[in-house]
Amino acid sequence: MKVAVVGATGMVGEVMLKVLSERNFPVTELLLVASERSVGKKLSYKDKEYTIIGLADAVAAKPEIAIFSAGGDTSLEWAPKFTEAGTTVIDNSSAWRMDPTKKLVVPEINASELTKEDKIIANPNCSTIQLVMALAPLHEKYKMKRVVISTYQSVSGTGVKAVRQLENEMAGVQGEMAYPYPINRNALPHCDVFLENGYTKEEMKLAREPQKILDDRSFSISATAVRIPTAGGHSESVNIEFNNDFDLNDVRGLLNETSGVTVQDNPDTNTYPMPIYAHDKDEVFVGRIRRDESQRNTLNMWIVADNLRKGAATNAVQIAEYLVENHLV
């Protein structure tokens, strides 16, 4: 199994290598790919050193799988070139997510839709993945009508530059700014760029991607995405109105039985999900499960996950595992 990791020097790329190693993905030949300025540099994987190559060389090597985390423009230009060489691409950017001809996959939910003909597979947005992991089993049983979500997203979701900005500000050091304002001791209601409708791109991803993943447009989602000064881990306050009523103990049981979801919900012991606890873990953590007392059939939840792992790298590697296990590559 010849595997290319495109964007290997980035934050998500580094975590992808870590996850591939931890999960003992069956790599027989590894291609580490990055932009021209990184070509020739060295990276290690499983105690072996690899030289970073460029995109053209990676295409020529004809890997079976290429996992992309190199930005939308790179994916739009290069993913088709890989597929022409016979490679299956798993793309972590937003480039292909809402393309009606491409599958948007969270393996626990809809991997069974994948076929050998799917040569470009989209990895959902980090905030979307943790959201749908918790919503999917509840929607199946109670049928969602409307979801209102507010996110509390870490600076690692923006990238290395943003992490550095936070670290500099905490240390009182002047440095390059990833955001238009300070992030330390602040909260920015501004994730990604603003669109004509007043929402940001991140908020519209949260509104649209779950409908595609669950293959259901009978529910609607309204989102507000906020950047907060945490180094890693995204949190979400989620209010879900269902068509049918529910029992809280059944909700907790349903979530507990869901692969990849862990319930942390005991106010008596101050047990609830937090980014500090989710760090470096692959599960999606759900807590603060309670009935919305202001209207019927409505639930409040708090959802937390490591945005670089299940929100990006782990989900992509799980897709690759499914492809291998089911002989789709």
Side-chain angles (χ1 to χ4, degrees):
M1 184 62 57
K2 191 186 290 188
V3 178
V5 176
V6 180
T9 57
M11 284 189 83
V12 174
E14 287 178 13
V15 179
M16 275 182 184
L17 292 175
K18 187 178 177 187
V19 173
L20 284 166
S21 174
E22 286 173 1
R23 296 172 76 92
N24 285 314
F25 189 81
V27 179
T28 52
E29 188 177 338
L30 182 64
L31 306 172
L32 300 187
V33 190
S35 62
E36 288 304 316
R37 66 178 179 273
S38 295
V39 169
K41 291 180 181 175
K42 308 283 187 185
L43 273 181
S44 63
Y45 174 79
K46 288 195 171 182
D47 300 323
K48 186 180 171 187
E49 204 169 65
Y50 291 81
T51 302
I52 292 168
I53 63 172
L55 283 151
D57 287 342
V59 171
K62 297 187 175 180
E64 276 84 20
I65 294 173
I67 306 177
F68 270 63
S69 187
D73 291 341
T74 301
S75 295
L76 285 171
E77 181 183 354
W78 285 93
K81 294 178 182 178
F82 274 88
T83 64
E84 283 165 21
T87 302
T88 298
V89 172
I90 301 164
D91 182 47
N92 200 51
S93 80
S94 60
W96 305 98
R97 288 179 189 150
M98 296 313 294
D99 183 324
T101 67
K102 306 292 183 284
K103 307 275 173 64
L104 185 62
V105 176
V106 176
E108 293 90 340
I109 298 170
N110 63 340
S112 60
E113 294 175 11
L114 291 172
T115 68
K116 281 188 176 180
E117 281 64 57
D118 294 306
K119 302 308 283 185
I120 297 177
I121 302 161
N123 211 36
N125 179 42
C126 48
S127 304
T128 300
I129 291 172
Q130 66 187 73
L131 177 66
V132 295
M133 284 286 289
L135 292 187
L138 301 180
H139 179 52
E140 194 174 330
K141 182 158 187 185
Y142 306 113
K143 293 287 169 262
M144 296 185 301
K145 185 175 177 183
R146 181 169 186 255
V147 181
V148 180
I149 172 173
S150 297
T151 71
Y152 304 73
Q153 296 181 216
S154 72
V155 293
S156 64
T158 307
V160 176
K161 188 176 167 186
V163 174
R164 203 171 293 130
Q165 177 182 335
L166 176 60
E167 288 170 347
N168 284 342
E169 288 171 1
M170 289 172 72
V173 174
Q174 286 283 338
E176 194 181 7
M177 302 272 284
Y179 302 119
Y181 299 100
I183 186 64
N184 187 40
R185 303 173 75 173
N186 199 11
L188 301 177
H190 181 181
C191 295
D192 213 324
V193 297
F194 284 102
L195 303 172
E196 282 185 15
N197 63 359
Y199 287 83
T200 62
K201 253 175 104 174
E202 182 80 5
E203 290 161 352
M204 293 315 297
K205 290 173 195 173
L206 280 160
R208 291 174 179 149
E209 289 180 18
Q211 293 179 327
K212 182 173 179 180
I213 295 163
L214 297 173
D215 192 24
D216 191 341
R217 282 155 185 78
S218 65
F219 63 90
S220 56
I221 298 181
S222 182
T224 302
V226 182
R227 193 73 63 187
I228 61 168
T230 48
H234 289 355
S235 306
E236 299 171 343
S237 170
V238 185
N239 178 272
I240 314 150
E241 183 184 357
F242 295 105
N243 286 316
N244 303 307
D245 201 7
F246 54 85
D247 176 85
L248 283 176
N249 286 328
D250 289 347
V251 167
R252 291 187 187 96
L254 205 54
L255 290 167
N256 246 332
E257 290 162 13
T258 300
S259 176
V261 174
T262 297
V263 174
Q264 295 179 320
D265 189 41
N266 189 347
D268 293 341
T269 57
N270 296 334
T271 301
Y272 34 71
M274 294 180 289
I276 202 167
Y277 185 84
H279 175 68
D280 232 11
K281 296 186 177 77
D282 289 326
E283 300 97 317
V284 171
F285 298 92
V286 185
R288 299 298 318 280
I289 299 165
R290 62 211 188 275
R291 194 175 280 278
D292 179 345
E293 297 183 348
S294 71
Q295 68 171 10
R296 294 175 65 243
N297 302 350
T298 304
L299 182 75
N300 283 308
M301 299 193 303
W302 176 250
I303 305 169
V304 180
D306 186 319
N307 55 296
L308 297 179
R309 288 188 67 103
K310 183 55 180 169
T314 303
N315 199 75
V317 173
Q318 286 175 311
I319 294 171
E321 288 172 341
Y322 184 89
L323 295 174
V324 172
E325 286 162 13
N326 291 275
H327 311 291
L328 301 178
V329 289

PDB file of all heavy atoms in Angstrom, residues 221-251:
ATOM      1  N   ILE A 221     -30.251  24.013  10.194  1.00  0.00           N
ATOM      2  CA  ILE A 221     -29.226  24.330  11.194  1.00  0.00           C
ATOM      3  C   ILE A 221     -28.851  25.798  11.079  1.00  0.00           C
ATOM      4  O   ILE A 221     -28.632  26.319   9.980  1.00  0.00           O
ATOM      5  CB  ILE A 221     -27.954  23.470  11.008  1.00  0.00           C
ATOM      6  CG1 ILE A 221     -28.269  21.986  11.189  1.00  0.00           C
ATOM      7  CG2 ILE A 221     -26.859  23.896  11.982  1.00  0.00           C
ATOM      8  CD1 ILE A 221     -27.072  21.059  11.038  1.00  0.00           C
ATOM      9  N   SER A 222     -28.776  26.477  12.231  1.00  0.00           N
ATOM     10  CA  SER A 222     -28.286  27.848  12.302  1.00  0.00           C
ATOM     11  C   SER A 222     -27.078  27.877  13.235  1.00  0.00           C
ATOM     12  O   SER A 222     -27.135  27.309  14.331  1.00  0.00           O
ATOM     13  CB  SER A 222     -29.382  28.780  12.826  1.00  0.00           C
ATOM     14  OG  SER A 222     -28.917  30.107  12.841  1.00  0.00           O
ATOM     15  N   ALA A 223     -25.984  28.503  12.772  1.00  0.00           N
ATOM     16  CA  ALA A 223     -24.731  28.428  13.530  1.00  0.00           C
ATOM     17  C   ALA A 223     -24.100  29.793  13.766  1.00  0.00           C
ATOM     18  O   ALA A 223     -24.196  30.698  12.930  1.00  0.00           O
ATOM     19  CB  ALA A 223     -23.739  27.538  12.787  1.00  0.00           C
ATOM     20  N   THR A 224     -23.432  29.914  14.913  1.00  0.00           N
ATOM     21  CA  THR A 224     -22.538  31.032  15.208  1.00  0.00           C
ATOM     22  C   THR A 224     -21.212  30.425  15.641  1.00  0.00           C
ATOM     23  O   THR A 224     -21.173  29.631  16.588  1.00  0.00           O
ATOM     24  CB  THR A 224     -23.090  31.925  16.340  1.00  0.00           C
ATOM     25  OG1 THR A 224     -24.372  32.422  15.962  1.00  0.00           O
ATOM     26  CG2 THR A 224     -22.156  33.090  16.634  1.00  0.00           C
ATOM     27  N   ALA A 225     -20.140  30.770  14.929  1.00  0.00           N
ATOM     28  CA  ALA A 225     -18.821  30.179  15.203  1.00  0.00           C
ATOM     29  C   ALA A 225     -17.903  31.219  15.836  1.00  0.00           C
ATOM     30  O   ALA A 225     -17.737  32.318  15.307  1.00  0.00           O
ATOM     31  CB  ALA A 225     -18.207  29.639  13.920  1.00  0.00           C
ATOM     32  N   VAL A 226     -17.308  30.845  16.968  1.00  0.00           N
ATOM     33  CA  VAL A 226     -16.495  31.773  17.757  1.00  0.00           C
ATOM     34  C   VAL A 226     -15.113  31.172  18.000  1.00  0.00           C
ATOM     35  O   VAL A 226     -14.991  29.995  18.329  1.00  0.00           O
ATOM     36  CB  VAL A 226     -17.183  32.083  19.115  1.00  0.00           C
ATOM     37  CG1 VAL A 226     -16.361  33.086  19.928  1.00  0.00           C
ATOM     38  CG2 VAL A 226     -18.595  32.610  18.893  1.00  0.00           C
ATOM     39  N   ARG A 227     -14.086  31.999  17.830  1.00  0.00           N
ATOM     40  CA  ARG A 227     -12.713  31.577  18.109  1.00  0.00           C
ATOM     41  C   ARG A 227     -12.360  32.013  19.528  1.00  0.00           C
ATOM     42  O   ARG A 227     -12.559  33.167  19.893  1.00  0.00           O
ATOM     43  CB  ARG A 227     -11.762  32.239  17.105  1.00  0.00           C
ATOM     44  CG  ARG A 227     -10.364  31.655  17.084  1.00  0.00           C
ATOM     45  CD  ARG A 227     -10.299  30.309  16.445  1.00  0.00           C
ATOM     46  NE  ARG A 227     -10.669  30.309  15.028  1.00  0.00           N
ATOM     47  CZ  ARG A 227     -10.804  29.209  14.292  1.00  0.00           C
ATOM     48  NH1 ARG A 227     -10.621  28.017  14.839  1.00  0.00           N
ATOM     49  NH2 ARG A 227     -11.138  29.285  13.013  1.00  0.00           N
ATOM     50  N   ILE A 228     -11.849  31.069  20.327  1.00  0.00           N
ATOM     51  CA  ILE A 228     -11.483  31.381  21.714  1.00  0.00           C
ATOM     52  C   ILE A 228     -10.009  31.025  21.955  1.00  0.00           C
ATOM     53  O   ILE A 228      -9.422  30.245  21.204  1.00  0.00           O
ATOM     54  CB  ILE A 228     -12.397  30.649  22.732  1.00  0.00           C
ATOM     55  CG1 ILE A 228     -12.276  29.125  22.583  1.00  0.00           C
ATOM     56  CG2 ILE A 228     -13.845  31.102  22.578  1.00  0.00           C
ATOM     57  CD1 ILE A 228     -12.898  28.343  23.723  1.00  0.00           C
ATOM     58  N   PRO A 229      -9.405  31.571  23.010  1.00  0.00           N
ATOM     59  CA  PRO A 229      -7.961  31.374  23.235  1.00  0.00           C
ATOM     60  C   PRO A 229      -7.601  30.041  23.892  1.00  0.00           C
ATOM     61  O   PRO A 229      -6.972  29.992  24.954  1.00  0.00           O
ATOM     62  CB  PRO A 229      -7.580  32.560  24.115  1.00  0.00           C
ATOM     63  CG  PRO A 229      -8.815  32.900  24.854  1.00  0.00           C
ATOM     64  CD  PRO A 229      -9.954  32.596  23.915  1.00  0.00           C
ATOM     65  N   THR A 230      -8.031  28.931  23.264  1.00  0.00           N
ATOM     66  CA  THR A 230      -7.545  27.616  23.667  1.00  0.00           C
ATOM     67  C   THR A 230      -6.642  27.110  22.547  1.00  0.00           C
ATOM     68  O   THR A 230      -6.874  27.399  21.369  1.00  0.00           O
ATOM     69  CB  THR A 230      -8.692  26.610  23.879  1.00  0.00           C
ATOM     70  OG1 THR A 230      -9.577  26.675  22.749  1.00  0.00           O
ATOM     71  CG2 THR A 230      -9.474  26.914  25.132  1.00  0.00           C
ATOM     72  N   ALA A 231      -5.630  26.339  22.918  1.00  0.00           N
ATOM     73  CA  ALA A 231      -4.634  25.888  21.936  1.00  0.00           C
ATOM     74  C   ALA A 231      -5.173  24.785  21.044  1.00  0.00           C
ATOM     75  O   ALA A 231      -4.799  24.668  19.882  1.00  0.00           O
ATOM     76  CB  ALA A 231      -3.369  25.429  22.648  1.00  0.00           C
ATOM     77  N   GLY A 232      -6.046  23.917  21.590  1.00  0.00           N
ATOM     78  CA  GLY A 232      -6.565  22.797  20.809  1.00  0.00           C
ATOM     79  C   GLY A 232      -7.893  22.325  21.354  1.00  0.00           C
ATOM     80  O   GLY A 232      -8.186  22.474  22.543  1.00  0.00           O
ATOM     81  N   GLY A 233      -8.721  21.754  20.481  1.00  0.00           N
ATOM     82  CA  GLY A 233     -10.021  21.222  20.893  1.00  0.00           C
ATOM     83  C   GLY A 233     -11.139  22.216  20.625  1.00  0.00           C
ATOM     84  O   GLY A 233     -11.054  23.374  21.018  1.00  0.00           O
ATOM     85  N   HIS A 234     -12.166  21.755  19.912  1.00  0.00           N
ATOM     86  CA  HIS A 234     -13.345  22.583  19.637  1.00  0.00           C
ATOM     87  C   HIS A 234     -14.496  22.148  20.534  1.00  0.00           C
ATOM     88  O   HIS A 234     -14.694  20.960  20.777  1.00  0.00           O
ATOM     89  CB  HIS A 234     -13.776  22.436  18.172  1.00  0.00           C
ATOM     90  CG  HIS A 234     -12.846  23.083  17.187  1.00  0.00           C
ATOM     91  ND1 HIS A 234     -11.755  23.840  17.542  1.00  0.00           N
ATOM     92  CD2 HIS A 234     -12.870  23.070  15.813  1.00  0.00           C
ATOM     93  CE1 HIS A 234     -11.143  24.271  16.448  1.00  0.00           C
ATOM     94  NE2 HIS A 234     -11.796  23.815  15.393  1.00  0.00           N
ATOM     95  N   SER A 235     -15.264  23.128  21.007  1.00  0.00           N
ATOM     96  CA  SER A 235     -16.442  22.869  21.836  1.00  0.00           C
ATOM     97  C   SER A 235     -17.671  23.455  21.146  1.00  0.00           C
ATOM     98  O   SER A 235     -17.573  24.452  20.427  1.00  0.00           O
ATOM     99  CB  SER A 235     -16.281  23.511  23.220  1.00  0.00           C
ATOM    100  OG  SER A 235     -15.080  23.093  23.833  1.00  0.00           O
ATOM    101  N   GLU A 236     -18.822  22.821  21.391  1.00  0.00           N
ATOM    102  CA  GLU A 236     -20.059  23.269  20.754  1.00  0.00           C
ATOM    103  C   GLU A 236     -21.224  23.195  21.731  1.00  0.00           C
ATOM    104  O   GLU A 236     -21.418  22.176  22.392  1.00  0.00           O
ATOM    105  CB  GLU A 236     -20.372  22.381  19.533  1.00  0.00           C
ATOM    106  CG  GLU A 236     -19.309  22.432  18.463  1.00  0.00           C
ATOM    107  CD  GLU A 236     -19.480  21.403  17.353  1.00  0.00           C
ATOM    108  OE1 GLU A 236     -20.235  20.418  17.551  1.00  0.00           O
ATOM    109  OE2 GLU A 236     -18.865  21.590  16.294  1.00  0.00           O
ATOM    110  N   SER A 237     -21.972  24.281  21.802  1.00  0.00           N
ATOM    111  CA  SER A 237     -23.244  24.296  22.524  1.00  0.00           C
ATOM    112  C   SER A 237     -24.339  24.068  21.486  1.00  0.00           C
ATOM    113  O   SER A 237     -24.453  24.835  20.528  1.00  0.00           O
ATOM    114  CB  SER A 237     -23.434  25.648  23.217  1.00  0.00           C
ATOM    115  OG  SER A 237     -24.738  25.757  23.725  1.00  0.00           O
ATOM    116  N   VAL A 238     -25.098  22.992  21.669  1.00  0.00           N
ATOM    117  CA  VAL A 238     -26.045  22.571  20.629  1.00  0.00           C
ATOM    118  C   VAL A 238     -27.454  22.438  21.202  1.00  0.00           C
ATOM    119  O   VAL A 238     -27.660  21.785  22.220  1.00  0.00           O
ATOM    120  CB  VAL A 238     -25.598  21.222  20.010  1.00  0.00           C
ATOM    121  CG1 VAL A 238     -26.509  20.851  18.846  1.00  0.00           C
ATOM    122  CG2 VAL A 238     -24.152  21.297  19.532  1.00  0.00           C
ATOM    123  N   ASN A 239     -28.410  23.076  20.535  1.00  0.00           N
ATOM    124  CA  ASN A 239     -29.817  23.023  20.903  1.00  0.00           C
ATOM    125  C   ASN A 239     -30.569  22.354  19.766  1.00  0.00           C
ATOM    126  O   ASN A 239     -30.522  22.813  18.633  1.00  0.00           O
ATOM    127  CB  ASN A 239     -30.332  24.454  21.146  1.00  0.00           C
ATOM    128  CG  ASN A 239     -31.806  24.501  21.498  1.00  0.00           C
ATOM    129  OD1 ASN A 239     -32.650  24.575  20.623  1.00  0.00           O
ATOM    130  ND2 ASN A 239     -32.106  24.505  22.780  1.00  0.00           N
ATOM    131  N   ILE A 240     -31.218  21.215  20.065  1.00  0.00           N
ATOM    132  CA  ILE A 240     -31.857  20.413  19.015  1.00  0.00           C
ATOM    133  C   ILE A 240     -33.350  20.285  19.284  1.00  0.00           C
ATOM    134  O   ILE A 240     -33.760  19.749  20.313  1.00  0.00           O
ATOM    135  CB  ILE A 240     -31.252  18.993  18.959  1.00  0.00           C
ATOM    136  CG1 ILE A 240     -29.731  19.046  19.014  1.00  0.00           C
ATOM    137  CG2 ILE A 240     -31.705  18.256  17.713  1.00  0.00           C
ATOM    138  CD1 ILE A 240     -29.130  17.828  19.673  1.00  0.00           C
ATOM    139  N   GLU A 241     -34.143  20.734  18.340  1.00  0.00           N
ATOM    140  CA  GLU A 241     -35.595  20.539  18.403  1.00  0.00           C
ATOM    141  C   GLU A 241     -35.947  19.309  17.564  1.00  0.00           C
ATOM    142  O   GLU A 241     -35.596  19.227  16.383  1.00  0.00           O
ATOM    143  CB  GLU A 241     -36.321  21.768  17.861  1.00  0.00           C
ATOM    144  CG  GLU A 241     -37.841  21.655  17.956  1.00  0.00           C
ATOM    145  CD  GLU A 241     -38.575  22.831  17.326  1.00  0.00           C
ATOM    146  OE1 GLU A 241     -37.919  23.782  16.859  1.00  0.00           O
ATOM    147  OE2 GLU A 241     -39.820  22.767  17.298  1.00  0.00           O
ATOM    148  N   PHE A 242     -36.615  18.338  18.196  1.00  0.00           N
ATOM    149  CA  PHE A 242     -37.007  17.098  17.515  1.00  0.00           C
ATOM    150  C   PHE A 242     -38.500  17.116  17.167  1.00  0.00           C
ATOM    151  O   PHE A 242     -39.285  17.830  17.789  1.00  0.00           O
ATOM    152  CB  PHE A 242     -36.736  15.888  18.420  1.00  0.00           C
ATOM    153  CG  PHE A 242     -35.281  15.658  18.716  1.00  0.00           C
ATOM    154  CD1 PHE A 242     -34.744  15.982  19.962  1.00  0.00           C
ATOM    155  CD2 PHE A 242     -34.437  15.100  17.767  1.00  0.00           C
ATOM    156  CE1 PHE A 242     -33.414  15.761  20.251  1.00  0.00           C
ATOM    157  CE2 PHE A 242     -33.092  14.873  18.049  1.00  0.00           C
ATOM    158  CZ  PHE A 242     -32.570  15.206  19.284  1.00  0.00           C
ATOM    159  N   ASN A 243     -38.856  16.291  16.219  1.00  0.00           N
ATOM    160  CA  ASN A 243     -40.283  16.097  15.914  1.00  0.00           C
ATOM    161  C   ASN A 243     -40.952  15.258  16.995  1.00  0.00           C
ATOM    162  O   ASN A 243     -42.139  15.414  17.268  1.00  0.00           O
ATOM    163  CB  ASN A 243     -40.448  15.411  14.553  1.00  0.00           C
ATOM    164  CG  ASN A 243     -40.156  16.353  13.401  1.00  0.00           C
ATOM    165  OD1 ASN A 243     -40.598  17.495  13.413  1.00  0.00           O
ATOM    166  ND2 ASN A 243     -39.399  15.889  12.432  1.00  0.00           N
ATOM    167  N   ASN A 244     -40.164  14.350  17.600  1.00  0.00           N
ATOM    168  CA  ASN A 244     -40.709  13.432  18.596  1.00  0.00           C
ATOM    169  C   ASN A 244     -40.079  13.682  19.962  1.00  0.00           C
ATOM    170  O   ASN A 244     -38.936  14.135  20.054  1.00  0.00           O
ATOM    171  CB  ASN A 244     -40.439  11.986  18.166  1.00  0.00           C
ATOM    172  CG  ASN A 244     -41.008  11.694  16.791  1.00  0.00           C
ATOM    173  OD1 ASN A 244     -42.182  11.924  16.540  1.00  0.00           O
ATOM    174  ND2 ASN A 244     -40.162  11.212  15.884  1.00  0.00           N
ATOM    175  N   ASP A 245     -40.816  13.350  21.005  1.00  0.00           N
ATOM    176  CA  ASP A 245     -40.300  13.545  22.363  1.00  0.00           C
ATOM    177  C   ASP A 245     -39.273  12.461  22.695  1.00  0.00           C
ATOM    178  O   ASP A 245     -39.152  11.450  22.005  1.00  0.00           O
ATOM    179  CB  ASP A 245     -41.448  13.528  23.375  1.00  0.00           C
ATOM    180  CG  ASP A 245     -41.059  14.227  24.675  1.00  0.00           C
ATOM    181  OD1 ASP A 245     -39.966  14.834  24.726  1.00  0.00           O
ATOM    182  OD2 ASP A 245     -41.841  14.148  25.641  1.00  0.00           O
ATOM    183  N   PHE A 246     -38.525  12.684  23.758  1.00  0.00           N
ATOM    184  CA  PHE A 246     -37.426  11.788  24.139  1.00  0.00           C
ATOM    185  C   PHE A 246     -37.362  11.658  25.650  1.00  0.00           C
ATOM    186  O   PHE A 246     -37.920  12.481  26.392  1.00  0.00           O
ATOM    187  CB  PHE A 246     -36.098  12.360  23.620  1.00  0.00           C
ATOM    188  CG  PHE A 246     -35.852  13.795  24.055  1.00  0.00           C
ATOM    189  CD1 PHE A 246     -35.286  14.086  25.292  1.00  0.00           C
ATOM    190  CD2 PHE A 246     -36.214  14.850  23.228  1.00  0.00           C
ATOM    191  CE1 PHE A 246     -35.094  15.393  25.699  1.00  0.00           C
ATOM    192  CE2 PHE A 246     -36.026  16.169  23.631  1.00  0.00           C
ATOM    193  CZ  PHE A 246     -35.458  16.448  24.871  1.00  0.00           C
ATOM    194  N   ASP A 247     -36.696  10.616  26.096  1.00  0.00           N
ATOM    195  CA  ASP A 247     -36.380  10.433  27.511  1.00  0.00           C
ATOM    196  C   ASP A 247     -34.885  10.681  27.677  1.00  0.00           C
ATOM    197  O   ASP A 247     -34.077  10.154  26.900  1.00  0.00           O
ATOM    198  CB  ASP A 247     -36.741   9.005  27.932  1.00  0.00           C
ATOM    199  CG  ASP A 247     -36.342   8.724  29.369  1.00  0.00           C
ATOM    200  OD1 ASP A 247     -37.133   9.056  30.271  1.00  0.00           O
ATOM    201  OD2 ASP A 247     -35.221   8.199  29.580  1.00  0.00           O
ATOM    202  N   LEU A 248     -34.487  11.475  28.660  1.00  0.00           N
ATOM    203  CA  LEU A 248     -33.074  11.847  28.816  1.00  0.00           C
ATOM    204  C   LEU A 248     -32.179  10.634  29.033  1.00  0.00           C
ATOM    205  O   LEU A 248     -31.060  10.579  28.507  1.00  0.00           O
ATOM    206  CB  LEU A 248     -32.902  12.841  29.973  1.00  0.00           C
ATOM    207  CG  LEU A 248     -33.305  14.288  29.682  1.00  0.00           C
ATOM    208  CD1 LEU A 248     -33.184  15.133  30.945  1.00  0.00           C
ATOM    209  CD2 LEU A 248     -32.466  14.883  28.560  1.00  0.00           C
ATOM    210  N   ASN A 249     -32.655   9.665  29.800  1.00  0.00           N
ATOM    211  CA  ASN A 249     -31.844   8.459  30.015  1.00  0.00           C
ATOM    212  C   ASN A 249     -31.663   7.672  28.720  1.00  0.00           C
ATOM    213  O   ASN A 249     -30.591   7.110  28.467  1.00  0.00           O
ATOM    214  CB  ASN A 249     -32.464   7.568  31.090  1.00  0.00           C
ATOM    215  CG  ASN A 249     -32.262   8.144  32.480  1.00  0.00           C
ATOM    216  OD1 ASN A 249     -31.251   8.803  32.743  1.00  0.00           O
ATOM    217  ND2 ASN A 249     -33.217   7.935  33.368  1.00  0.00           N
ATOM    218  N   ASP A 250     -32.698   7.673  27.883  1.00  0.00           N
ATOM    219  CA  ASP A 250     -32.581   7.013  26.574  1.00  0.00           C
ATOM    220  C   ASP A 250     -31.573   7.739  25.689  1.00  0.00           C
ATOM    221  O   ASP A 250     -30.801   7.110  24.963  1.00  0.00           O
ATOM    222  CB  ASP A 250     -33.944   6.975  25.874  1.00  0.00           C
ATOM    223  CG  ASP A 250     -34.907   5.996  26.531  1.00  0.00           C
ATOM    224  OD1 ASP A 250     -34.443   5.174  27.355  1.00  0.00           O
ATOM    225  OD2 ASP A 250     -36.119   6.057  26.226  1.00  0.00           O
ATOM    226  N   VAL A 251     -31.584   9.063  25.753  1.00  0.00           N
ATOM    227  CA  VAL A 251     -30.628   9.865  24.975  1.00  0.00           C
ATOM    228  C   VAL A 251     -29.203   9.529  25.387  1.00  0.00           C
ATOM    229  O   VAL A 251     -28.334   9.268  24.547  1.00  0.00           O
ATOM    230  CB  VAL A 251     -30.908  11.377  25.149  1.00  0.00           C
ATOM    231  CG1 VAL A 251     -29.745  12.218  24.612  1.00  0.00           C
ATOM    232  CG2 VAL A 251     -32.202  11.760  24.453  1.00  0.00           C
TER     233      VAL A 251
END
